[in-house]
Amino acid sequence: MHFARFDFGVGVLHDGRARHLPWESMSELLRHRRAAIRQAMEEPSSRWFPEAEVTLQAPIDGRMEVWAAGVTYERSLDARVEESTHTGALSTVYDRVYAADRPELFFKAAAWRVVTEGQPIMIRADAAASVPEPELAVVANCFGEPVGVTICDDMTARTIEGDNPLYLPQAKIYDGACGLARKVLPWWEFPPEMRITMEIHRGGPAVFTGETSTARLRRTPEELLGWLFREQSFPDGVILSTGTGIVPPLDFTLAPGDEVTIAIERVGVLRQRVEERGT
């Protein structure tokens, strides 16, 4: 079972069928407690229709935001240090945040900046190197309860980020820099370990492949949400991307026309074509 935002309303998806839920938007759904959302999704119904009759949208609307966590996998820590050492910037900040109680959390995108399947993921024209970051993303309600998980592509302008840690917002936040899969796996079906894979194709052959597991996350999604909701409110809910454990080598960069495919078992697939801003 999954849930999703339709071209009108929100609903449940199961075995190629769909049915509507009693809310008009994803943000309205996320104003309710997880128990009430689960009850609505699991109640018996005869109002199913073919999934092909609806157009799925990115699972974000209204005043929802996407936030992200950094340096939550050891591979991500290593990559940040490599980038900053390569450009001469300070690297010890990444070692310190990996071991600290407080995680790195940053704003990633407003709802209107998010792109999904059928829409291009963007790279900055003023960055010499950019990479995708495949991540498990947690969909949380306004009470801070995890309601589901989906796929996020947390695009990064690698050269900008590597030049100086203070450039992180410019490296991470721009139009089309956040990709979200259209389907959300309910939290109560979230297994303890999930395989994450990424392939990047350029004119046919794969130029990069990688995989990791959510079991390698240093911090749990609940822990990250707990920190995110400290001193902050999200009246329409929030999506929190939990960091990446798959990082291409330093000499790699995305190019316009590349196709990025991210898969998380049981959640689904996010496949997007790469375009460059301003082209």
Side-chain angles (χ1 to χ4, degrees), residues 30-181:
L30 294 174
R31 294 184 204 124
H32 292 75
R33 288 285 186 180
R34 182 171 63 199
I37 296 170
R38 180 174 184 174
Q39 182 179 2
M41 289 184 187
E42 294 183 342
E43 68 178 10
S45 175
S46 60
R47 295 170 295 176
W48 293 93
F49 54 89
E51 180 182 328
E53 292 183 7
V54 295
T55 301
L56 304 184
Q57 311 286 339
I60 184 169
D61 54 30
R63 294 176 296 172
M64 291 177 65
E65 300 172 354
V66 180
W67 282 67
V71 199
T72 54
Y73 290 81
E74 187 173 3
R75 178 66 190 100
S76 179
L77 166 64
D78 294 342
R80 290 280 191 94
V81 172
E82 289 170 7
E83 291 169 4
S84 56
T85 302
H86 178 71
T87 56
L90 184 66
S91 62
T92 56
V93 292
Y94 300 122
D95 298 286
R96 291 172 62 186
V97 77
Y98 183 76
D101 289 335
R102 183 183 295 273
E104 178 193 14
L105 298 173
F106 56 90
F107 177 78
K108 177 63 183 180
W112 60 272
R113 281 202 177 100
V114 171
V115 290
T116 189
E117 289 199 44
Q119 300 170 322
I121 196 79
M122 307 301 290
I123 56 178
R124 290 186 65 124
D126 61 351
S130 295
V131 291
E133 296 188 8
E135 305 183 6
L136 178 78
V138 183
V139 181
N141 62 16
C142 66
F143 305 101
E145 298 174 318
V147 173
V149 293
T150 190
I151 303 170
C152 179
D153 184 355
D154 172 19
M155 288 290 296
T156 301
R158 174 180 265 175
T159 46
I160 295 175
E161 179 183 53
D163 281 344
N164 192 307
L166 297 180
Y167 294 160
L168 181 71
Q170 296 175 75
K172 293 283 193 177
I173 307 168
Y174 56 90
D175 291 350
C178 179
L180 290 177

